[in-house]
Amino acid sequence: YRPEIWRYAAGLALPLIPHFLATVLLTNTDRIMIGRICGQEKVAIYAVAANLGTIMQIIVNSTNAAVNPWIYRTMERRNHGALRKGTNLLYGMMALLTMAPTLLGTLYIRWFMKASYQAAIPMIGIIAASSFFIYLYTIFFVMELYYEKTVYSSIASVAAAALNVALNYIGISLFGYVAAAYTTLICYVFLSAAHYLFLRKTCAAKGTPVSELVNLKLVLGLGIAVIAIAIATSRL
């Protein structure tokens, strides 16, 4: 037993508990609130769109598992040029892949599902776009973990979960269950922006310009393109 190790581990890990709880809430609130406000039939339609739209999460999770050790190594070696170049490629790849669930999910519903589920099609692209911003914030999150700033992660996630509940209540009440897809996208955009700002604050404290780690212009450009394509496909 070494108390200094326990103190270090607790200080690093305990702030992540609200982060992960908020992430669960952020993922499940929409279906719960749709069920309460619109009924279980609408939950079923939304669930189809959500499941097809979040297929990208499989790629996001597997890519993160492979890339995270590399991020830690390059940051430890202060090889920021390689880190920025590598993550730029990943951002571009993920932005392109977010289009796949929209096309494949639409075809799947039209070919294999009942006509009542056609209403899920306009939501697939919006939910799929969220996967790109989930990937963004997870990359920023890993960089924050390297600097051991786990409190920032919890603040961002709890704020995003609270925003999700508020927007879902207002949006679903006024515009119906389709609003849940848009509130999901808005909250993940917010989460990415919050993590970027916290990462910038952390980098400033460490004497490292955040621009050495993140190409903000590329991230903004890809984010705007992903949202624009998602909105365009939702209206087809």
Side-chain angles (χ1 to χ4, degrees):
Y1 171 75
R2 293 180 62 183
E4 64 274 13
I5 294 178
W6 281 85
R7 286 194 296 269
Y8 170 79
L12 188 65
L14 289 179
L16 288 176
I17 295 175
H19 162 73
F20 288 115
L21 290 175
T23 301
V24 172
L25 185 63
L26 185 58
T27 304
N28 294 286
T29 299
D30 47 7
R31 303 185 196 198
I32 296 172
M33 297 186 73
I34 289 172
R36 289 185 175 275
I37 298 174
C38 302
Q40 294 303 314
E41 180 183 351
K42 302 302 182 183
V43 174
I45 297 173
Y46 181 81
V48 170
N51 290 336
L52 292 171
T54 54
I55 288 174
M56 270 287 296
Q57 284 302 106
I58 299 172
I59 299 175
V60 168
N61 294 337
S62 59
T63 303
N64 280 341
V67 168
N68 289 357
W70 171 77
I71 292 177
Y72 289 134
R73 286 196 302 270
T74 53
M75 292 185 73
E76 184 178 11
R77 297 168 184 167
R78 296 190 63 82
N79 192 357
H80 296 160
L83 177 63
R84 177 170 154 145
K85 182 178 180 181
T87 52
N88 284 349
L89 291 173
L90 290 171
Y91 299 148
M93 180 183 72
M94 289 299 164
L96 289 173
L97 287 175
T98 53
M99 302 178 192
T102 306
L103 174 62
L104 298 177
T106 299
L107 294 176
Y108 178 81
I109 290 175
R110 287 178 175 169
W111 290 351
F112 300 110
M113 302 196 73
K114 296 179 180 179
S116 58
Y117 287 99
Q118 299 290 317
I121 291 176
M123 294 184 285
I124 297 175
I126 301 298
I127 296 173
S130 301
S131 297
F132 173 73
F133 292 96
I134 292 173
Y135 191 73
L136 278 185
Y137 101 73
T138 51
I139 293 293
F140 301 156
F141 173 65
V142 171
M143 295 177 183
E144 291 168 15
L145 282 182
Y146 174 79
Y147 289 123
E148 302 179 359
K149 297 298 183 181
T150 54
V151 174
Y152 290 159
S153 301
S154 290
I155 293 172
S157 299
V158 170
L163 178 65
N164 185 250
V165 172
L167 290 180
N168 271 332
Y169 180 78
I170 297 171
I172 295 171
S173 299
L174 295 177
F175 305 107
Y177 69 100
V178 176
Y182 290 88
T183 60
T184 298
L185 177 58
I186 291 170
C187 289
Y188 281 119
V189 171
F190 169 83
L191 194 55
S192 298
H195 274 284
Y196 173 79
L197 292 175
F198 284 135
L199 178 62
R200 186 174 69 176
K201 181 177 180 180
T202 301
C203 287
K206 297 293 182 178
T208 301
V210 71
S211 58
E212 291 186 6
L213 305 180
V214 180
N215 186 339
L216 182 59
K217 290 183 180 179
L218 176 65
V219 168
L220 288 175
L222 290 174
I224 292 170
V226 166
I227 292 173
I229 292 171
I231 293 174
T233 57
S234 71
R235 296 179 178 178
L236 294 178

